């Protein structure tokens, strides 16, 4: 069947899925992030890469294709945020250092590896059928420089598994168990 069938599209004629990593976002008003968005419109499928210093708008770029292996990194270097995205399949990349947005307070209070419906407005903008997204080699470095896996590190960080549900509590996407503290996948379960 067509991955962009009309029954998948939300009432605005779109369905989206986003995979990204970043800092902040969990109980904060900023997010320093980079990743890819994919989805469908009535015209067909699309995929693009981006970085964002939320609440500023994302900066998008092309050169990624479905099925490409993507490597991303976000880190705070003491004065700014290093954001990089490399398409390991083609060698294409973007690398930038950005300051916390003017008037915002970037807290560096969380790190995320996320697969989500970026519209967060289902059924207006529905979750695209992304099949499965694999996250591998994920690591965290704490404020004091301790480096480790996503497994909970006593006194430094905890890990939280989040299941994506629509407003009626139907599961839309679910993550697997954490493998070796560094890998997990997220499976599309359904749209609203």
């Amino acid at each position: 069947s067509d991955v962009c069938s009309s029954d998948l599209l939300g009432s605005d004629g779109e369905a989206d899925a986003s995979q990204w990593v970043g800092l902040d976002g969990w109980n904060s008003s900023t997010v320093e992030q980079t990743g890819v968005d994919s989805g469908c419109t009535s015209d067909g499928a699309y995929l693009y890469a981006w970085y964002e210093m939320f609440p500023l708008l994302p900066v998008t770029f092309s050169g990624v294709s479905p099925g490409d292996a993507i490597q991303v990194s976000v880190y705070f270097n003491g004065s700014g945020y290093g954001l990089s995205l490399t398409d390991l399949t083609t060698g294409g990349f973007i690398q930038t250092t950005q300051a916390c947005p003017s008037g915002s307070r970037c807290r560096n209070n969380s790190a995320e590896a996320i697969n989500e419906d970026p519209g967060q407005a289902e059924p207006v903008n529905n979750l695209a059928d992304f099949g499965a997204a694999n996250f591998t080699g994920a690591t965290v470095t704490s404020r004091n420089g301790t480096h480790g896996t996503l497994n909970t590190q006593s006194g430094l960080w905890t890990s939280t598994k989040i299941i994506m549900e629509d407003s009626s509590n139907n599961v839309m996407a679910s993550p697997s168990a954490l493998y070796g503290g560094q890998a997990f996948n997220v499976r599309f379960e359904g749209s609203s």
Side-chain angles (χ1 to χ4, degrees), residues 11 16 31 34-35 56 78 87 99 104 136 159 166 180:
S11 61
D16 295 304
V31 188
T34 187
L56 301 176
D87 185 318
S104 295
T136 60
S159 295
D166 66 15

Side-chain angles (χ1 to χ4, degrees), residues 50-174:
W50 51 271
Y51 73 85
E52 182 179 33
M53 297 294 294
F54 185 84
L56 301 176
L57 293 174
V59 175
T60 63
F61 51 100
S62 58
V64 295
S65 299
D68 286 0
I70 306 293
Q71 181 179 27
V72 292
S73 171
V74 177
Y75 62 91
F76 179 66
N77 66 16
S79 61
Y81 292 87
L83 303 116
S84 67
L85 183 145
T86 303
D87 185 318
L88 298 174
T89 305
T90 67
F93 71 95
I94 187 166
Q95 188 171 7
T96 184
T97 300
Q98 300 288 317
C100 185
S102 179
S104 295
R105 182 173 171 224
C106 297
R107 298 178 180 203
N108 301 327
N109 68 350
S110 64
E112 293 93 18
I114 300 286
N115 188 102
E116 69 177 348
D117 170 6
Q120 298 179 6
E122 54 76 26
V124 173
N125 185 311
N126 213 349
L127 177 65
D129 182 352
F130 58 86
N134 299 310
F135 291 79
T136 60
T139 60
V140 176
T141 303
S142 71
R143 286 182 184 142
N144 72 3
T146 301
H147 190 70
T149 68
L150 297 181
N151 288 330
T152 296
Q153 301 291 318
S154 180
L156 293 175
W157 63 80
T158 59
S159 295
T160 303
K161 177 179 174 177
I162 300 172
I163 298 171
M164 189 183 327
E165 297 179 340
D166 66 15
S167 59
S168 300
N169 297 323
N170 297 311
V171 174
M172 299 173 72
S174 59

Side-chain angles (χ1 to χ4, degrees), residues 2-5 9 13-16 38-47:
D2 181 6
V3 72
C4 287
S5 64
L9 302 180
E14 285 193 51
D16 295 304
S38 60
C40 301
T41 69
S42 55
D43 295 328
Y46 63 85
L47 175 71

